[in-house]
Amino acid sequence: PGQWRIIRGRARVQFIHSIRPANGYAYEYRKTVRLVRQKPQMVIDHTLINTGSKTIETDQYNHNFFVIDGLPVTPGIRVIFPFELETVREFQADFVEKRGKTIEFVKEIPEGASTIGEFRGFSSRASDYDIRVEHEPARAGVRIRGSLPLSRLVFWCMRRTFCPEPYVHLTVPPGRRVSWRLTYDFFSLPQR
């Protein structure tokens, strides 16, 4: 299980997880969640330090469980990407659709129903890690930007939440570190 430390600040919290060497693998992982002063913005900084003797090669992703204003997932919610979505695994439901660069909810989701899809179409540039959520019923949105390129993109949803799940690939040789950042900008949608 390793060792956990939590360091709290006024507008931030840092989680540090350390694993001692086992079969050549060991690391220190730091995750800092910070609210930016006088901005509707949250920044999540990650650092993975390889303290073992073997290279760590892994994928990391964020679930992004969105529940906005406590509202259920409904038509009027869309998630927009900067690239054309190419289907790897198609949604097995009729309440959500992939449309070009967008995933849109087109029907109410029945209680107990869920679906998952997987997409590609992104490049090897970090600029493709730029996801925009628009929630018309709540008149709210969020933009998610990552500092590393996408390696995989999954989208899962159910009645209470929808989850764009962007992955990044990490390769960390012994004695090295990798750092990456996620920036969440929150905004209001204009009245119609």
Side-chain angles (χ1 to χ4, degrees):
Q3 180 183 20
W4 280 100
R5 287 186 298 150
I6 300 173
I7 302 168
R8 294 171 181 86
R10 188 161 181 226
R12 68 188 313 136
V13 62
Q14 183 178 54
F15 306 93
I16 302 169
H17 187 239
S18 301
I19 296 286
R20 294 184 183 177
N23 299 321
Y25 293 103
Y27 66 77
E28 180 177 289
Y29 170 64
R30 299 175 190 167
K31 178 178 182 178
T32 303
V33 180
R34 172 174 58 90
L35 299 176
V36 178
R37 188 176 177 169
Q38 298 191 354
K39 280 183 152 183
Q41 187 178 78
M42 177 176 69
V43 174
I44 304 175
D45 286 310
H46 306 259
T47 299
L48 180 62
I49 305 164
N50 186 344
T51 57
S53 60
K54 291 184 178 176
T55 296
I56 297 173
E57 189 159 352
T58 189
D59 291 315
Q60 187 274 342
Y61 74 102
N62 282 14
H63 278 293
N64 292 313
F65 279 86
F66 284 109
V67 178
I68 298 179
D69 282 354
L71 298 173
V73 180
T74 185
I77 299 172
R78 67 190 150 278
V79 182
I80 306 160
F81 302 87
F83 51 86
E84 291 288 325
L85 294 164
E86 299 171 11
T87 303
V88 174
R89 179 175 18 166
E90 199 162 321
F91 291 124
Q92 298 298 305
D94 65 352
F95 48 78
V96 62
E97 293 180 0
K98 172 197 70 106
R99 298 178 174 173
K101 298 179 178 184
T102 304
I103 293 173
E104 293 188 50
F105 292 93
V106 295
K107 292 183 181 178
E108 295 287 332
I109 300 177
E111 198 65 53
S114 67
T115 192
I116 190 167
E118 185 173 350
F119 306 93
R120 63 177 170 246
F122 46 84
S123 72
S124 60
R125 296 183 310 271
S127 60
D128 278 350
Y129 196 141
D130 190 344
I131 302 165
R132 184 178 171 95
V133 172
E134 294 182 352
H135 195 297
E136 290 281 346
R139 311 297 319 143
V142 61
R143 181 181 181 195
I144 311 162
R145 289 171 288 140
S147 64
L148 294 178
L150 293 168
S151 63
R152 186 176 177 207
L153 178 62
V154 175
F155 192 96
W156 177 81
C157 59
M158 61 179 284
R159 185 170 176 75
R160 302 301 305 155
T161 188
F162 59 100
C163 311
E165 299 177 348
Y167 287 68
V168 296
H169 188 75
L170 306 173
T171 302
V172 192
R176 304 295 299 263
R177 71 177 60 209
V178 65
S179 295
W180 65 102
R181 172 175 281 182
L182 301 176
T183 303
Y184 292 75
D185 291 296
F186 302 93
F187 57 90
S188 296
L189 294 175
Q191 293 295 330
R192 288 190 170 187

